[in-house]
Amino acid sequence: MLVTIGGGSTIGLGKAVAVSTGLPLVCVPTTFSGSEMTPIYGLTQDQEKTTARDHKALPKVVIYDPQLLSALPAGVVGPSGMNALAHCAEALWAKNTDPVTDALALDGARRLHRHLRTAYSDQDVASLGQVLVASCLAGTALGTVGTSIHHALCHLLGGMYDTPHALTHAIVLPYAVEFVRPSVPTAIGRLAAALSTTAAELSDTIWALGLSVGTPRGLRAIGLTEAQVGLAAEAALVKRPSSPRTLDRAGLHRLLKAAWRGMSPSVR
């Protein structure tokens, strides 16, 4: 039996070992990655991150204990919670959405809206527990329906430049939401309602939430250059990941350049 205690990277390693060995897996998450609820795991080699899906990667047992997270640094709590919000959001417009996963994702988004700031500022066990529930719901939803353009870009950046997983998701999320917004109005409207905002203000609301829980202002704040994000946009054009909005060179460059600058998504 394999036992993994830790965040998404630790759990991901356990999942990869479980797949290769056939050993049963037990996970004790200490962040909000939600990885423990998905059959998806990723491996990085030669500056490229590839993901795989295998039912053997699903743990037999998951143990949630918010008290284990009471000493988690605020600098981890905030971006990790925003990573969970990215899972909720993308689960609403991935290819294989269904009413059950929509309900899970929206419930997770509501819990994050209500509790993430307190979990970040106070390390309150009750709030941490609510964010853990949200990450479980988010992981379950995303693991069922699959990923889309946001995750594809974040995995691309992580593989090419070794950017921190949760921070990358937290930074890119509001710009990815703004990118897909015209193409998925129903999903955007439902997510906006869950976050107590409007569709027009959703990306800015997510951006402001991220800043309030320690998300850095743009990809440049974690060391990327403007030239590097341009290369990532070109690589995304080659890979053509799933996206509800048609991918084109100008649109991808605008998305990633905006994420690099870190300004409000509504600023053109």
Side-chain angles (χ1 to χ4, degrees):
M1 178 176 291
L2 296 169
V3 178
T4 60
I5 304 174
S9 296
T10 302
I11 290 172
L13 175 60
K15 289 159 77 172
V17 174
V19 169
S20 64
T21 63
L23 290 171
L25 178 63
V26 175
C27 293
V28 186
T30 60
T31 67
F32 309 118
S33 75
S35 177
E36 70 282 353
M37 299 307 294
T38 82
I40 304 166
Y41 62 100
L43 299 171
T44 301
Q45 185 174 9
D46 298 328
Q47 295 186 309
E48 183 173 4
K49 181 172 183 176
T50 58
T51 58
R53 176 183 287 264
D54 194 309
H55 73 278
K56 290 184 290 186
L58 283 170
K60 301 298 183 185
V61 176
V62 177
I63 300 171
Y64 290 109
D65 183 354
Q67 295 191 55
L68 291 176
L69 281 70
S70 60
L72 194 66
V76 177
V77 171
S80 185
M82 293 302 294
N83 183 28
L85 183 58
H87 296 166
C88 294
E90 191 132 278
L92 295 170
W93 52 73
K95 277 186 175 181
N96 301 311
T97 58
D98 64 58
V100 174
T101 56
D102 282 357
L104 297 177
L106 291 167
D107 189 2
R110 281 189 289 268
R111 290 173 190 266
L112 288 162
H113 173 65
R114 292 171 186 163
H115 300 288
L116 180 56
R117 287 186 179 91
T118 306
Y120 171 78
S121 61
D122 300 344
Q123 274 78 51
D124 171 67
V125 171
S127 297
L128 290 166
Q130 288 294 323
V131 179
L132 264 179
V133 172
S135 69
C136 172
L137 295 169
T140 303
L142 192 75
T144 302
V145 304
T147 61
S148 187
I149 181 63
H150 169 76
H151 277 72
L153 292 176
C154 291
H155 290 169
L156 188 64
L157 291 166
M160 291 177 71
Y161 306 121
D162 196 29
T163 58
H165 183 85
L167 283 176
T168 306
H169 278 271
I171 292 168
V172 173
L173 177 60
Y175 308 98
V177 169
E178 184 66 15
F179 177 78
V180 303
R181 183 166 66 93
S183 301
V184 284
T186 300
I188 289 290
R190 298 178 75 188
L191 180 59
L195 299 185
S196 300
T197 189
T198 65
E201 296 174 337
L202 177 60
S203 58
D204 278 353
T205 297
I206 293 172
W207 176 74
L209 174 61
L211 291 182
S212 74
V213 295
T215 300
R217 283 182 176 267
L219 293 169
R220 59 183 173 178
I222 60 172
L224 292 190
T225 67
E226 191 171 6
Q228 285 176 316
V229 297
L231 290 173
E234 291 298 316
L237 281 169
V238 173
K239 290 182 175 294
R240 308 299 300 181
S242 171
S243 172
R245 176 176 170 179
T246 301
L247 300 179
D248 62 88
R249 177 169 280 104
L252 278 171
H253 276 272
R254 278 196 302 269
L255 190 169
L256 285 175
K257 292 292 177 64
W260 179 78
R261 289 192 298 268
M263 303 296 288
S264 165
S266 63
V267 174
R268 299 294 182 179

